[in-house]
Amino acid sequence: MDLPRHLPGALTGIPQDINADLHCHSRVSDGTLEPEELARRAHDAGVQLWALTDHDEIGGQSRARAAAEALGMRYVTGVEISVTWAGQTLHIVGLNVDPQAQALVEGLESVRAGRGRRAHDMSDALAKLGIHGAYEGALKYVGNPELISRTHFARYLVEISVCSEIGEVFDKYLGEGKPAFVGHRWATLTEAVGWILAAGGVAVIAHPGRYKLTPLERHALFEEFKQLGGLAIEVTTGSHTVAQYREYAELAKECGFLASRGSDFHGPEESRVELGSLPPLPDSLQPVWSLWR
Ligand code: AMP
Ligand code: MN
Ligand code: MN
Ligand code: MN
């Protein structure tokens, strides 16, 4: 397929139908497995091209790469950056970034810096609802002191039987607009894409179907992202419904984006979609890995 004019030419190399999983989380952010355990699990599941994409953090990259390469699995560096755009939280995945790039390293540090305060505020909000000690409780699940997230609180609320599963915690307490939700300013879209590009990587809109955007807002997001140098969107992701695989495949073609595929796996007990188990991208799409040798 011919690439739209604004996209770089394909470099070759990686087969279109490779089993790629370019989105998942380790204990370095809010996953439950260590990078090495994930690498082993991905390899056992048949993944051939893998990226660990921890939230706002690249501290697990060298471990993930070493473990993948020891298993003979191709590895691409990755990160999932939290962004505030038009008052909403969006996630932008950066792939094939240089983990030493100063702009990226410092940018991510600045995004992580707000999480501690926010966690205390969430804990205070939960305490007002009669749920005490949530900060300390969440900390028990944290693998990286710089990366405390709502998922860690959710695990604690399930542990103490306030809710029976993680999803329920978001529905009742921690989701946007719920009583213990704490608004937060993450990176701007311009910053996140800029850091990824400065690190030589490819910017990808993570799970675009998950955002509450009107078609007009979605169009504005896609246009702005493209203007900034963003090249790809996730099409098959564990965070999309099957209907959304088709919907975003069409949108990727229509809007001239490369397509990415990733489970968004967080752990064996919590994730619906296993590593490497999503349907392949439709043949009509240009995969993001066509850019890499
Ligand atoms: P944070 O970065 O602290 O805002 O936490 C965001 C993380 O919470 C996401 O990456 C997901 O892992 C998790 N999350 C968000 N919404 C839900 C949901 N409805 N059900 C389960 N997990 C969720
Ligand atoms: Mn997460
Ligand atoms: Mn995400
Ligand atoms: Mn994710």
Side-chain angles (χ1 to χ4, degrees):
M1 163 197 156
D2 287 340
L3 280 169
R5 263 198 313 280
H6 69 279
L7 292 177
L11 291 177
T12 69
I14 303 177
Q16 166 105 7
D17 63 351
I18 195 170
N19 187 340
D21 192 327
L22 303 178
H23 188 147
C24 68
H25 299 274
S26 76
R27 271 176 61 76
V28 176
S29 63
D30 63 347
T32 61
L33 300 182
E34 299 292 346
E36 293 80 5
E37 295 173 307
L38 274 172
R40 162 62 65 188
R41 193 177 179 97
H43 182 258
D44 288 352
V47 173
Q48 297 163 299
L49 176 68
W50 178 51
L52 171 65
T53 54
D54 277 315
H55 296 287
D56 307 322
E57 174 65 277
I58 48 178
Q61 291 302 307
S62 56
R63 290 169 62 192
R65 174 176 292 280
E69 290 179 353
L71 293 161
M73 182 166 62
R74 294 186 76 143
Y75 188 73
V76 191
T77 53
V79 64
E80 181 176 19
I81 306 179
S82 311
V83 162
T84 302
W85 183 84
Q88 282 209 50
T89 299
L90 309 180
H91 288 168
I92 302 294
V93 164
L95 295 174
N96 205 28
V97 289
D98 170 5
Q100 316 274 357
Q102 200 182 344
L104 179 66
V105 170
E106 289 176 1
L108 294 178
E109 261 170 31
S110 73
V111 180
R112 289 194 301 274
R115 282 185 177 269
R117 177 75 260 155
R118 170 184 184 246
H120 283 290
D121 291 347
M122 282 195 279
S123 188
D124 292 348
L126 287 166
K128 287 201 182 104
L129 300 168
I131 302 163
H132 297 279
Y135 180 78
E136 292 71 22
L139 269 190
K140 293 193 293 180
Y141 293 91
V142 167
N144 169 4
E146 288 188 33
L147 212 298
I148 180 163
S149 91
R150 285 184 289 166
T151 314
H152 302 114
F153 280 86
R155 288 184 186 132
Y156 177 64
L157 266 57
V158 171
E159 179 198 317
I160 61 171
S161 303
V162 166
C163 292
S164 59
E165 46 140 17
I166 302 240
E168 190 188 336
V169 180
F170 284 89
D171 291 345
K172 286 194 177 154
Y173 296 100
L174 295 179
E176 211 154 321
K178 304 299 171 183
F181 178 77
V182 173
H184 192 71
R185 282 280 284 279
W186 302 104
T188 66
L189 185 64
T190 306
E191 286 170 333
V193 176
W195 300 333
I196 292 165
L197 297 187
V202 184
V204 185
I205 300 178
H207 41 65
R210 230 172 65 183
Y211 312 125
K212 290 188 187 71
L213 300 172
T214 64
L216 217 63
E217 289 167 333
R218 188 178 60 207
H219 179 76
L221 168 65
F222 283 9
E223 279 307 307
E224 188 177 334
F225 179 66
K226 209 184 283 182
Q227 290 292 318
L228 292 169
L231 290 184
I233 64 172
E234 288 183 342
V235 170
T236 44
T237 144
S239 295
H240 277 174
T241 63
V242 173
Q244 286 174 327
Y245 302 163
R246 274 191 297 276
E247 183 185 351
Y248 284 88
E250 284 310 310
L251 281 167
K253 264 185 281 188
E254 223 174 277
C255 306
F257 284 123
L258 301 171
S260 191
R261 171 180 191 259
S263 57
D264 208 353
F265 184 81
H266 282 69
E269 307 81 14
E270 292 176 13
S271 290
R272 217 167 24 88
V273 174
E274 183 55 71
L275 288 156
S277 73
L278 289 168
L281 290 176
D283 282 342
S284 57
L285 296 182
Q286 180 94 31
V288 65
W289 52 90
S290 67
L291 295 174
W292 308 321
R293 287 175 201 286

